[in-house]
Amino acid sequence: MRTDKLFMIIILGAPFLSASILILFRKRLTKHAGYIAGAGAALSLIAAFSLLPALYTGGEPTLILSWVPAAGIELDLHVDWLTLPFVITEAAVTLLAVIYAWGYHHPVLSTPYFYALLMVFALGMAGTTLADDMVLFYTFWELMLVASCALILFWGEGAQRKAVALKYFIFTHFGSLMVLVALFMLYNITGNDSLSALRDGLQVTQSQVNTITTFFLIGFCVKMAIFPLHLWLPDAHTVAPMPVTIMLAAAMLSMGAYGLLRFPMSIFTMQQMIPFAVPMMIAGVISEIYGALMALAEHDIKRIVAYSSVSQMGYILFGLGTLTYKGIAGATMHVIYHAIVKALLFMVLGIVIHATGKRKIDELSGLGRIMPVTAVCAAIGALTIAGTPPLCIFDSEWLIFAGGFETPYIALSVVALFGSLLTVAYALWLVTRIFLGDRKTEDEVHTPPSPALIIPTVFLALLSLIEGLFPAPVFDWISNELALILGGQW
Amino acid sequence: MGNLFVIILTLVPFTLGAILGISYLIPKTLQRQSQRIRKYVLIATLTVVAISIISLIISPNYQTDIAFSWLPNAGIMHIHLGQSGLFASLLTTAVALVILILGSPFSRMTASLVLIACGTANLAFISNHFVLRYVALEIVGLCIALIPIMEIKGRSGIGAFRRTYLVLRLGDAGFLVAILLMMRYTGTLDIAVALEQSVALPSPTLTWIVAGLVLAVWVKMGIWPIHNWLATNKALSPIANSWMILTVMPNLGLYLLYRIQPLLVASEEIQLFIGWSGLLAACLPALLAILQTGSPISLNYVHAIQGGLALFWATNGAIHLLPFVVYFSLLRMVLYWFEIVTIRKLGTVLLVFSGILMLSFWSYILVANAPSISRSYVTMSFIAFIIILCGVWVIRSARYHSTTIHTTTTDPLSNMLTQRRPRYGFFPDSISNGMNDEHWLYRLMTQNTSDKLSRGLTSLVLGTGQWLYRVVEQGSLDKIVPFISRIVMGSGNQIYRVIEKASLDGLLKWMSRIVQAISHRLAKIHTGKLRLNLIWVTLCIVVTIVALVFQ
């Protein structure tokens, strides 16, 4: 077996194996569950990075195993330049979330289940990106949903967790059904369930393209939490325990963008997608501005950052909607950089909540003096999401806006650009209210943050600066990916 | 050699500033630095920077081949050692040096921000790539916005930070729109080439580009009515107030205006519109300035006057006059703090001297060098009006500085009203409160009773000024930022209530209720009694048969 195939198996196998071990030996592994999950996540990340040389040499590692022979369903895994940035992002976010959970989650009898479900969640995301078969894609897609829903249901915070889990399930399942309908239609037209085969060429009419793309757009926009399909997100992000929130916000939202890139934008040509450019751009701008306004209206710090995800996904949809090289490259970069900054911001909020036990922004003030490192990380996170150079989001926003200005719809791009001032407003408001000003007398730090909370937070703050200063490697990956998008005719 | 000098004037202060800033985070034992050492380090660094700039100015043979690629699809970023950029850089650094030598102590974070701002401002002056300049401007803007947090305790410092940063980002957004449009239509981000090619663009496109650029200049120079971010505060150290807030960004704005000037004169409509906007933006603060004598706020208005006039002259082709604006601004800043900190009498003399220079300069422009548009009677009258008001401001300032003690208040009106004056029946209270019996204006208006017209005019101007201050400045502009923020927050809250909760969540609940109602109804009909189930089965069979028959 070639090493590339081994790495692909490890990407999926490591989280699967660690989840299995945690479930089978849960009583013995209560205290060490986090480390086993961490090892699984680390192995998965290393394996993802190990596939880079194969891609640089022009290869596209593929693994085909027979799954349901009678139905012709195979376990097809495939790695290309579109897959890899997403796989690496998800694996890295999972590892950081697991490390963060070491400091956030006190070991109890059910802890192995918690980490096992985190691993299943990670497995679902990795499988979705690696899948080269519609059935497999959809299976992993639903696995991701079930695992995350179970995490919210059993480990969610507050009395509302059951209702929120149900809402989350119904909403995202509705999106999944839209995707499923589109997949069925594709299968009916082509008679083929291989994604690679779909990319090679498709004989479809424009009306079929319109119908399929509409279903895909609705389905993936639910996952991306684009207005008005975002209603599951603020509640789910708020109720979920912080490590799960980090994975939901930083990794799972990006699956919607991946879906859009993998399906309509990979299998249809530029001409076929042009009718969707303006609706996507308009939906993106509305989501950007609406999410930012909601973030300004909120008082719960987790909900503020949750709504900021709605806004940030708006940027991504806007970039994809431009159908330009720069816009799509920027949107894909934004997925990665949004993962960094959103994980960073939620980690900072986790430290604040863990230390003070408070979530209302009006009850928090002046924490910078007792948490200077966290305050600096929060400031970096706020400036990053505000698009301040030379931090990473500036690079992706630059490309997104540059793509927007290459379209005939310059007024929309100007609105998107000026709308970004709202992002500056809520980011500064959030951080200055929590960390600056006079300390309130009742502000007591119950629990000082442990290294497991601080180390990944500092790492992400540094990463957002490093990525901002040296965006070339990530852009290099993405420019390779663009050859696979919209027929590769740029 | 050119490369070395470029590194010295950009990277060295930036790196030192960053180190100083990071040292704030390390354990307290390592943080103890003598204030004197900190000051000497700053002075030494800025001296080296100034010497490097002078070396580059006097040796035009020194060139740099520093070029690098950073941002995807933004091309190669160059440095250009043009004389105009170097002079602007030298002036800015020199003012920092003078204020540092004369000024009072400052915090470590201020020192760090000064060094970072100095390095990045120099980079902005000498960069020949739009993105590089944009990034440098953003970093300088952030440093300026951070100053209130570092030096003013409590909520007012935080509010000032948010307000300043947002306003500066508004200007940057305009700049970015212009950059992206130029990149689209000229295919380059090289400043010289892009500006040269943009001149030939069709009028609608050029209008968008100029609008973005003028918004950037407007904000950065603090031209009325976007001048409030320049608000001075005596709680700040001299270097923070006079250099960071009142010198660096206005200079960068003016230099941007200097570079984009060819675009402003490329179309007659743009030229006319921006020219008049600049002139009007100079007139109103001129009225306001004379009411604020002796207060730091008056400097904002004088800044705004000069900014508006600079814009006016730029649209009229008088580009060679723009550097004088920097000169006068800087001179006034230095004198202001010099006067406060050290020798009061000498300060007064120098202030008057600078005022006379400024008046001579504007008169010279008015009489000798006025280009075509400014030769019309209307514009000539406007400029004459501004010059007269500026003259009043200079004389009142000189008199104020030589007779009164500075108070720590930053509110100009309360500053004036704290010194109770006798009431003068001839004038409205609002005006007579603003005078004292030794005041030259008072003498002019009361003792020289024969000159009714002069009194009437002066009264009218002062009254209008006060009215403007109350209605426009305090009534509108001072409230506009809180108003906008209330509007944004309020609309956010309204949308949250109406769309998010009442409509979307409400719709969801409504749908869920309907689905539940239907399911309950169906459950009642469908399950339970056998006869009901049998009816359903019969009905289904009938429907199937009917469907098969009529197929």
Side-chain angles (χ1 to χ4, degrees):
Chain A
M1 186 184 281
R2 281 186 57 193
T3 49
D4 300 342
K5 292 183 179 177
L6 182 66
F7 290 138
M8 289 168 78
I9 291 171
I10 292 172
I11 291 173
L12 298 181
F16 178 74
L17 192 67
S18 48
S20 307
I21 291 170
L22 286 168
I23 291 167
L24 288 172
F25 306 102
R26 65 180 182 281
K27 285 182 183 167
R28 291 182 198 169
L29 295 174
T30 304
K31 285 184 181 172
H32 307 291
Y35 303 121
I36 289 166
L43 270 174
S44 188
L45 180 63
I46 292 166
F49 271 112
S50 307
L51 286 168
L52 269 172
L55 290 175
Y56 275 119
T57 52
E60 287 193 356
T62 306
L63 177 71
I64 301 172
L65 300 171
S66 183
W67 187 14
V68 188
I73 299 170
E74 291 171 328
L75 192 79
D76 289 2
L77 301 177
H78 176 83
V79 175
D80 55 25
W81 279 112
L82 174 55
T83 311
L84 200 81
F86 286 90
V87 172
I88 289 175
T89 306
E90 290 147 16
V93 168
T94 305
L95 177 61
L96 289 169
V98 169
I99 293 172
Y100 192 81
W102 297 348
Y104 201 83
H105 195 86
H106 296 295
V108 288
L109 201 60
S110 62
T111 300
Y113 285 127
F114 174 77
Y115 283 108
L117 274 172
L118 274 186
M119 289 294 99
V120 175
F121 188 12
L123 173 69
M125 289 192 289
T128 305
T129 38
L130 289 181
D132 196 33
D133 180 280
M134 285 185 201
V135 178
L136 197 61
F137 174 88
Y138 191 75
T139 309
F140 279 121
W141 183 266
E142 287 294 66
L143 183 67
M144 180 170 72
L145 165 63
V146 171
S148 52
C149 191
L151 281 163
I152 293 170
L153 182 64
F154 296 116
W155 282 273
E157 294 158 1
Q160 292 285 311
R161 67 175 194 269
K162 285 179 188 170
V164 169
L166 185 64
K167 185 178 180 181
Y168 168 68
F169 187 86
I170 289 171
F171 254 92
T172 44
H173 196 65
F174 165 73
S176 303
L177 289 177
M178 293 286 136
V179 172
L180 188 63
V181 171
L183 290 175
F184 273 133
M185 290 170 84
L186 268 179
Y187 184 76
N188 277 342
I189 292 165
T190 62
N192 197 329
D193 65 348
S194 163
L195 305 190
S196 301
L198 290 176
R199 263 205 317 277
D200 290 342
L202 209 56
Q203 292 298 318
V204 280
T205 61
Q206 185 61 43
S207 63
Q208 286 173 325
V209 171
N210 291 350
T211 315
I212 292 169
T213 308
T214 305
F215 277 108
F216 273 135
L217 261 177
I218 295 170
F220 292 129
C221 282
V222 170
K223 198 60 106 185
M224 286 174 79
I226 295 292
F227 174 87
L229 304 168
H230 67 285
L231 287 171
W232 61 271
L233 181 136
D235 292 330
H237 281 32
T238 312
V239 168
M242 198 54 89
V244 180
T245 308
I246 291 165
M247 286 180 69
L248 284 172
M252 200 195 75
L253 290 182
S254 68
M255 298 313 300
Y258 174 76
L260 283 176
L261 284 166
R262 173 57 80 196
F263 285 100
M265 298 185 81
S266 285
I267 59 181
F268 300 132
T269 61
M270 174 79 82
Q271 286 302 317
Q272 290 169 322
M273 284 299 291
I274 278 177
F276 293 92
V278 177
M280 282 168 78
M281 285 172 79
I282 291 173
V285 171
I286 291 173
S287 205
E288 174 202 333
I289 293 172
Y290 183 85
L293 281 172
M294 289 302 99
L296 280 167
E298 268 297 344
H299 289 271
D300 183 313
I301 54 176
K302 269 184 103 175
R303 286 179 79 89
I304 291 170
V305 181
Y307 273 116
S308 113
S309 296
V310 177
S311 178
Q312 294 298 310
M313 288 296 128
Y315 286 96
I316 293 171
L317 190 65
F318 175 82
L320 295 176
T322 62
L323 302 182
T324 59
Y325 183 91
K326 286 175 189 163
I328 295 172
T332 317
M333 275 178 96
H334 204 77
V335 168
I336 298 168
Y337 293 157
H338 171 257
I340 293 173
V341 70
K342 204 40 63 75
L344 169 61
L345 284 173
F346 272 121
M347 282 180 182
V348 164
L349 297 189
I351 292 170
V352 169
I353 295 166
H354 197 250
T356 62
K358 291 172 184 165
R359 278 180 26 181
K360 292 280 174 205
I361 196 162
D362 306 326
E363 295 170 358
L364 295 161
S365 178
L367 289 178
R369 287 180 201 159
I370 45 174
M371 298 178 173
V373 176
T374 312
V376 170
C377 291
I380 292 174
L383 291 173
T384 306
I385 207 162
T388 309
L391 298 160
C392 60
I393 290 268
F394 169 72
D395 302 350
S396 55
E397 279 186 6
W398 160 259
L399 281 170
I400 289 171
F401 292 137
F405 275 83
E406 283 183 357
T407 64
Y409 318 107
I410 288 176
L412 260 180
S413 309
V414 172
V415 173
L417 202 152
F418 277 93
S420 69
L421 289 175
L422 291 171
T423 310
V424 181
Y426 75 72
L428 295 186
W429 178 63
L430 175 74
V431 171
T432 52
R433 280 298 293 265
I434 296 174
F435 291 100
L436 298 179
D438 299 325
R439 259 190 78 197
K440 294 190 174 170
T441 46
E442 67 270 23
D443 270 355
E444 287 178 17
V445 173
H446 303 298
T447 324
S450 71
L453 297 179
I454 291 290
I455 289 168
T457 312
V458 172
F459 171 76
L460 286 172
L462 288 174
L463 191 63
S464 65
L465 180 62
I466 292 166
E467 273 301 320
L469 289 172
F470 307 102
V474 171
F475 184 72
D476 192 28
W477 298 354
I478 287 160
S479 57
N480 286 316
E481 161 208 315
L482 284 161
L484 306 169
I485 305 289
L486 296 172
Q489 303 295 319
W490 300 104
Chain B
M1 203 64 180
N3 290 351
L4 180 68
F5 284 134
V6 168
I7 289 168
I8 290 173
L9 68 98
T10 55
L11 272 183
V12 168
F14 184 89
T15 313
L16 277 173
I19 292 168
L20 214 55
I22 291 166
S23 76
Y24 191 71
L25 290 174
I26 59 178
K28 292 216 167 181
T29 46
L30 294 171
Q31 286 182 14
R32 287 178 193 151
Q33 302 165 7
S34 150
Q35 280 208 343
R36 190 180 290 177
I37 291 173
R38 194 184 307 147
K39 186 170 173 175
Y40 289 154
V41 166
L42 245 73
I43 290 172
T45 311
L46 295 187
T47 308
V48 172
V49 168
I51 291 168
S52 303
I53 302 169
I54 292 167
S55 309
L56 287 169
I57 290 171
I58 59 175
S59 310
N61 293 333
Y62 287 150
Q63 283 306 321
T64 176
D65 55 1
I66 293 176
F68 56 93
S69 176
W70 167 49
L71 214 55
N73 281 69
I76 305 291
M77 298 183 180
H78 300 279
I79 300 292
H80 175 63
L81 298 177
Q83 292 286 307
S84 60
L86 288 172
F87 269 114
S89 181
L90 180 64
L91 266 173
T92 312
T93 311
V95 173
L97 260 176
V98 173
I99 295 171
L100 274 173
I101 291 165
L102 302 174
S104 49
F106 45 87
S107 70
R108 180 184 28 251
M109 280 312 285
T110 302
S112 160
L113 292 173
V114 165
L115 285 170
I116 292 172
C118 179
T120 41
N122 287 339
L123 181 64
F125 283 126
I126 62 171
S127 66
N128 197 31
H129 191 279
F130 268 125
V131 175
L132 195 57
R133 177 163 298 177
Y134 174 84
V135 171
L137 287 171
E138 282 257 341
I139 296 172
V140 174
L142 180 62
C143 291
I144 290 168
L146 282 169
I147 279 289
I149 286 188
M150 300 304 162
E151 297 208 349
I152 303 172
K153 286 184 179 175
R155 288 274 160 210
S156 59
I158 300 166
F161 161 67
R162 286 201 292 249
R163 189 172 56 243
T164 306
Y165 191 61
L166 265 170
V167 170
L168 289 175
R169 281 294 293 259
L170 175 71
D172 289 336
F175 192 32
L176 197 56
V177 167
I179 291 173
L180 289 166
L181 283 170
M182 279 191 270
M183 186 170 80
R184 174 181 172 156
Y185 290 107
T186 66
T188 178
L189 286 166
D190 182 292
I191 294 176
V193 179
L195 288 174
E196 195 183 319
Q197 292 183 8
S198 297
V199 173
L201 289 173
S203 189
T205 312
L206 189 64
T207 307
W208 277 90
I209 293 172
V210 169
L213 289 170
V214 168
L215 176 63
V217 169
W218 208 287
V219 170
K220 287 174 201 316
M221 288 186 72
I223 299 173
W224 194 88
I226 316 178
H227 62 289
N228 277 341
W229 71 267
L230 285 168
T232 51
N233 193 321
K234 283 193 179 174
L236 298 176
S237 60
I239 188 73
N241 196 354
S242 290
W243 191 73
M244 286 291 282
I245 293 179
L246 289 171
T247 303
V248 181
M249 196 52 91
N251 279 8
L252 285 165
L254 191 72
Y255 185 64
L256 182 62
L257 179 63
Y258 175 79
R259 294 299 302 268
I260 64 165
Q261 192 269 346
L263 297 188
L264 303 182
V265 294
S267 149
E268 203 170 309
E269 292 83 12
I270 292 173
Q271 192 179 8
L272 202 66
F273 180 74
I274 294 174
W276 271 103
S277 305
L279 202 55
L280 289 173
C283 278
L284 292 169
L287 274 169
L288 296 165
I290 55 168
L291 295 171
Q292 317 298 325
T293 311
S295 159
I297 284 182
S298 68
L299 295 175
N300 299 351
Y301 295 128
V302 178
H303 256 297
I305 297 167
Q306 293 201 340
L309 284 173
L311 202 58
F312 175 73
W313 293 118
T315 53
N316 281 279
I319 189 167
H320 59 289
L321 298 175
L322 295 183
F324 286 98
V325 179
V326 182
Y327 167 71
F328 286 120
S329 300
L330 300 184
L331 185 65
R332 208 176 43 254
M333 281 310 101
V334 174
L335 290 175
Y336 180 76
W337 280 107
F338 190 49
E339 193 269 343
I340 280 184
V341 173
T342 54
I343 313 162
R344 300 179 59 78
K345 291 287 177 193
L346 181 60
T348 308
V349 172
L350 289 172
L351 186 72
V352 173
F353 175 67
S354 75
I356 292 166
L357 269 179
M358 188 170 77
L359 284 176
S360 318
F361 163 66
W362 292 119
S363 306
Y364 159 75
I365 296 165
L366 181 69
V367 178
N369 201 35
S372 57
I373 291 179
S374 62
R375 279 202 182 282
S376 78
Y377 286 116
V378 183
T379 47
M380 291 274 274
S381 321
F382 267 100
I383 294 167
F385 176 70
I386 293 165
I387 288 173
I388 290 166
L389 291 180
C390 283
V392 173
W393 177 79
V394 167
I395 296 165
R396 287 195 73 183
S397 294
R399 191 162 180 80
Y400 177 88
H401 284 299
S402 61
T403 55
T404 58
I405 305 294
H406 287 278
T407 60
T408 51
T409 178
T410 55
D411 177 3
L413 274 186
S414 54
N415 216 354
M416 291 164 76
L417 294 171
T418 45
Q419 303 160 5
R420 289 304 304 167
R421 290 111 185 168
R423 291 167 61 89
Y424 307 106
F426 180 83
F427 303 107
D429 282 354
S430 57
I431 297 175
S432 60
N433 279 342
M435 306 176 181
N436 66 37
D437 51 2
E438 290 179 352
H439 205 284
W440 71 274
L441 272 173
Y442 164 69
R443 286 203 302 275
L444 175 74
M445 287 185 273
T446 55
Q447 292 168 2
N448 186 6
T449 48
S450 62
D451 196 352
K452 296 277 186 189
L453 183 65
S454 165
R455 266 191 299 160
L457 275 175
T458 316
S459 169
L460 181 71
V461 169
L462 277 173
T464 313
Q466 286 224 342
W467 179 82
L468 269 176
Y469 185 77
R470 292 238 166 87
V471 175
V472 181
E473 197 70 8
Q474 285 190 319
S476 308
L477 294 178
D478 277 358
K479 290 176 183 167
I480 204 157
V481 173
F483 177 73
I484 290 171
S485 86
R486 269 203 305 276
I487 289 267
V488 171
M489 297 291 277
S491 58
N493 278 317
Q494 282 300 325
I495 293 170
Y496 183 75
R497 274 202 294 273
V498 175
I499 298 181
E500 192 75 359
K501 286 291 166 196
S503 304
L504 295 176
D505 260 8
L507 189 69
L508 201 67
K509 282 177 189 164
W510 182 73
M511 278 170 63
S512 138
R513 270 191 222 115
I514 286 182
V515 170
Q516 277 184 338
I518 291 170
S519 59
H520 283 305
R521 187 74 195 150
L522 284 174
K524 275 184 188 169
I525 295 169
H526 178 256
T527 56
K529 294 176 182 172
L530 183 63
R531 59 189 167 85
L532 281 175
N533 287 342
L534 285 175
I535 288 171
W536 279 109
V537 170
T538 317
L539 266 174
C540 284
I541 290 167
V542 170
V543 169
T544 310
I545 291 166
V546 169
L548 285 171
V549 168
F550 290 99
Q551 193 179 17

